[in-house]
Amino acid sequence: VAPGASDRVRVLDPGGGVAGCVRAASSGAPVAPFTVMVWERSGPLRRVLQRSLSVLDPSGCYAVEDLAAGPAAVVVSAPGFAPSAEIPVEVPPPPARARADAELEAGGRLLGAVRDEASGAPLPGARVSVEGALEAAASTFPVLAEATAGPDGRFALDGLPRRFSIQVAAAGHHARVLGGLEVGPGETRGPVQIAPRPGAEGEAPPLCPGGGGPGLAPPGQGPGGGPVRPRGGAAAGGRRRRRPRP
């Protein structure tokens, strides 16, 4: 097309679609509201978000259109429920639709408090959120559990999956990531205490990994007083931290 040309029309092929219904695993009742996310599967681990749709229909059913034909993965998230596992689908050319029904388990709950590591004072307004790729989705309601610490530093996270990691951010403090946390469907764990380290004046606080190290109380324990079982990272790979040479 020559620069400045305006007499050209590009015709786009119609997209494919995915449809399904969302039910509660415990009762089979329809779930609403919820968010459905369709990811393009461009490799074993690579996922690119194609579309996300917020659904209010009390029937619990949905249809997502205008999708690229080919391999895709569907994930459903609803308030109070754990996000679904990936549902692999093959999006067909229109007018056919792939089918992706989902059964959601009741989400777990984590109670805790955020306190300054140096003074032990509560950190009201600290943001506690579950980590995950679902943050990229546009939705009318949160697709990942998140909470804000109250005046006493306490928080409650609902709708948690069986295994999860959380990130804690508080003004003037180093952010913390705590991994390897576990809670069963409908269970409540905690309280846990998370203690971000205060940053120096004028310092841009970096992200500090937590895991089973300092920041959980009692020391060496996780939600509900049980051991934190970290997954992945250097510990899982059998790698040891090397000391710097003098």
Side-chain angles (χ1 to χ4, degrees):
V1 179
S6 59
D7 58 345
R8 298 292 187 269
V9 176
R10 184 176 181 181
V11 179
L12 301 178
D13 292 332
V18 174
C21 294
V22 182
R23 300 282 185 264
S26 60
S27 65
V31 171
F34 62 89
T35 298
V36 58
M37 294 149 279
V38 183
W39 304 77
E40 179 184 341
R41 289 188 293 140
S42 53
L45 299 177
R46 180 172 169 77
R47 300 289 183 268
V48 178
L49 182 64
Q50 286 202 61
R51 284 202 64 192
S52 60
L53 178 70
S54 298
V55 180
L56 302 173
D57 191 330
S59 71
C61 295
Y62 72 91
V64 183
E65 308 289 355
D66 299 326
L67 301 172
V74 176
V75 178
V76 178
S77 174
F81 292 86
S84 74
E86 279 192 1
I87 306 168
V89 296
E90 189 75 22
V91 178
R97 288 175 175 171
R99 186 77 186 181
D101 297 319
E103 289 191 347
L104 302 185
E105 292 184 330
R109 192 174 207 226
L110 178 68
L111 304 177
V114 185
R115 297 183 177 275
D116 182 274
E117 182 184 70
S119 67
L123 295 176
R127 183 175 179 269
V128 185
S129 57
V130 174
E131 288 198 305
L134 302 187
E135 291 175 322
S139 173
T140 305
F141 12 83
V143 295
L144 286 175
E146 59 183 16
T148 301
D152 56 359
R154 297 184 182 276
F155 68 88
L157 278 176
D158 294 296
L160 297 172
R162 291 175 181 267
R163 297 182 179 89
F164 60 98
S165 299
I166 60 174
Q167 178 173 322
V168 182
H173 290 71
H174 295 248
R176 292 190 64 90
V177 172
L178 304 176
L181 304 177
E182 299 183 3
V183 61
E187 292 183 356
T188 298
R189 294 292 179 92
V192 299
Q193 181 169 294
I194 307 167
R197 184 187 313 158
E201 185 175 353
E203 175 188 14
L207 188 66
C208 296
L216 285 177
Q221 294 188 2
V228 173
R229 293 181 283 273
R231 306 199 185 285
R239 297 189 296 273
R240 296 183 179 178
R241 183 181 297 174
R242 295 182 180 179
R243 295 183 179 179
R245 295 180 179 179

